[in-house]
Amino acid sequence: MRTQGPAIAMPSLQVSTGNATASLATSRVAPAAPAQRLAPLADRARHVSFARGAAIFRDGDAADRIYEVRNGVVRLSKTLADGRRQVLDFVEPDRIIGLHDGKVHGATAEAVTPAVLVSYPRSSVETAMAGDAATACRLMTELRAAAMRSEVRLVLVGRKTADERVATFLLMRAHRDAADGEEVSLPMGRADIADYLAVTIETVSRALSKFKAGGLIAMPGPQSIVLRDIERLRDVAGL
Amino acid sequence: MRTQGPAIAMPSLQVSTGNATASLATSRVAPAAPAQRLAPLADRARHVSFARGAAIFRDGDAADRIYEVRNGVVRLSKTLADGRRQVLDFVEPDRIIGLHDGKVHGATAEAVTPAVLVSYPRSSVETAMAGDAATACRLMTELRAAAMRSEVRLVLVGRKTADERVATFLLMRAHRDAADGEEVSLPMGRADIADYLAVTIETVSRALSKFKAGGLIAMPGPQSIVLRDIERLRDVAGL
DNA sequence: CGCGCAGTTGAACCTGTTCAAGCACCGTGG
DNA sequence: CCACGGTGCTTGAACAGGTTCAACTGCGCG
């Protein structure tokens, strides 16, 4: 079941300009945002697919379109001149990217897994803001959620230790009401996790090994983690 | 001169429920956001003053009102259970706080200097979103700007060295087109700066001393910094 | 005058980085 | 089928940037 948007009912009209109708395992994370489609903008929508690693847009590109993730995982990041990179977010289906930006994108968006997105011309945002209250509300909610996530991550990156960060990351990837034994998938590589948490690959690896040694988690494979002791994991995460 | 809001003209009606009509030195920073008042909401506005250090709202409080800063500097922060604190933002006049939050505030807002704010009931936001396109646009812009700032700060805190952070901070507090000799005021204490940059007080102090020794800045007083060599400061900041 | 707070400076320590090597998995090609 | 090379992950050991703890300074204010 999907949480409906706040207070305002959406027409049940579905976008029909494509066939990629999300049905994947990774959609488990962060379903806080409403799952409505941007139906009223359907006529100007365009479906696009990206291979693993492909760029959807880059920092500095003209921001003439916004994108709704339908399938796969997208990575938002910023890179400094000397190559230091900060991953801002991993975006999963039903979320929108490119909304913050004005004329120019302020971050790079790349597909972490093969991904399908729907893009809308940026102008349609303004149109919606003026005339379509429901969509305006949806966009507003999206922005608010993004802002809140950024703030949480600022605390994570600014004030938590490496172990706390990794533990927090695992819990973020788990269900809200995760129970012991739950399996968490990590579709992104260690480098992505490291740049998300603002530590090095080695530190991530060491933390995971430590958790494994302590019996907090099990690792069937590098991309898959089983939460063995969520209680203690929460403890380590400082939550 | 103040930058007008995006595309849509505002009625020139001014809020008259108070007498604190912003005229201060600290308004130099970040005038990127539009400076329109939330005029259409005037009838439900309420002016409030806060002493230095006073809390406007706290993390976890019911978020029944939003606030527009009129005068002074407000600090937004989150604190972990064990006391570690992350300052999320310093908010100066013409910006709005409390907008991200849903039913409950996700951060604490406190006055860094004596401050005057105008508060509006949260419900008026929904009202505006539905009926008042101009105000909706204003709020949207505010949220977008906040999201972008968060992302920039995430890179700052996640991927920059202590010296880079402090240098960046000084430049952020300066005019966009600052020239050598420009004076920057630091109304907040070292502890606030430290928690904003996610370092310790000592590190901030050392960086400033280093910059002073190198002739990049001068310090007439602890709260006031003169930028002596902006070029090199930019260099240190990595910009 | 003396207390108290904010900021600065110094020195030891520690967490996470850096550099370097080793390992496991996997698709390719012989 | 297995050798091969590549990539991504893990592990180890030395290093370093920033923290921590502690002392000192300077200034405002009772």
Side-chain angles (χ1 to χ4, degrees), chain A residues 7-71:
Chain A
I8 301 174
M10 278 291 281
S12 56
L13 176 62
Q14 278 289 331
V15 176
S16 54
T17 324
N19 46 13
T21 325
S23 68
L24 69 161
T26 40
S27 68
R28 45 165 51 165
V29 173
Q36 312 160 325
R37 305 303 195 205
L38 295 177
L41 310 178
D43 52 329
R44 310 179 67 186
R46 184 192 299 170
H47 280 253
V48 215
S49 294
F50 294 89
R52 190 170 210 275
I56 292 139
F57 54 77
R58 280 184 232 274
D59 193 349
D61 283 359
D64 43 2
R65 303 187 75 84
I66 64 168
Y67 298 81
E68 190 180 22
V69 179
R70 280 295 168 79
N71 206 325

Side-chain angles (χ1 to χ4, degrees), chain B residues 21-233:
Chain B
T21 325
S23 67
L24 69 162
T26 41
S27 68
R28 47 168 44 168
V29 171
Q36 312 161 323
R37 305 303 195 206
L38 296 175
L41 308 179
D43 53 327
R44 309 180 68 186
R46 183 191 301 172
H47 281 253
V48 216
S49 294
F50 294 89
R52 191 171 209 275
I56 292 141
F57 55 77
R58 279 184 232 276
D59 193 348
D61 283 359
D64 42 3
R65 303 187 74 84
I66 64 169
Y67 299 81
E68 190 179 23
V69 180
R70 281 293 167 79
N71 204 324
V73 180
V74 171
R75 171 183 68 223
L76 287 173
S77 65
K78 274 175 178 277
T79 303
L80 299 178
D82 61 0
R84 281 175 290 179
R85 187 183 68 155
Q86 177 67 46
V87 171
L88 303 171
D89 211 353
F90 294 112
V91 185
E92 310 214 17
D94 294 330
R95 279 188 44 206
I96 295 170
I97 59 178
L99 204 51
H100 318 335
D101 308 311
K103 301 192 169 174
V104 160
H105 288 298
T108 296
E110 289 151 316
V112 168
T113 66
V116 179
L117 321 228
V118 188
S119 82
Y120 306 89
R122 171 161 243 24
S123 60
S124 65
V125 174
E126 271 92 57
T127 308
M129 285 304 296
D132 176 354
T135 302
C137 184
R138 162 78 207 277
L139 296 177
M140 194 79 175
T141 302
E142 188 76 30
L143 269 179
R144 280 179 22 182
M148 286 181 65
R149 269 194 309 276
S150 281
E151 295 188 344
V152 168
R153 194 137 358 70
L154 205 50
V155 176
L156 182 72
V157 161
R159 285 310 185 199
K160 292 204 174 182
T161 66
D163 285 355
E164 287 173 328
R165 293 183 209 187
V166 175
T168 304
F169 181 71
L170 292 179
L171 290 170
M172 287 190 333
R173 304 259 341 146
H175 281 110
R176 170 162 289 289
D177 52 354
D180 282 355
E182 167 149 347
E183 189 178 334
V184 169
S185 78
L186 304 178
M188 66 296 289
R190 295 290 186 272
D192 285 340
I193 300 176
D195 285 350
Y196 181 80
L197 299 176
V199 292
T200 59
I201 301 177
E202 293 92 327
T203 301
V204 172
S205 196
R206 276 185 248 272
L208 290 175
S209 299
K210 192 159 130 189
F211 296 164
K212 191 168 112 186
L216 305 198
I217 62 171
M219 290 210 289
Q223 313 276 54
S224 165
I225 300 237
V226 177
L227 307 181
R228 286 250 152 278
D229 190 339
I230 292 188
E231 202 52 49
R232 272 202 292 158
L233 210 49

Side-chain angles (χ1 to χ4, degrees), chain A residues 189-190 201-202 205-206 209 219 222:
Chain A
R190 294 291 186 270
I201 301 178
E202 292 92 329
S205 196
R206 276 186 248 275
S209 299
M219 293 209 290

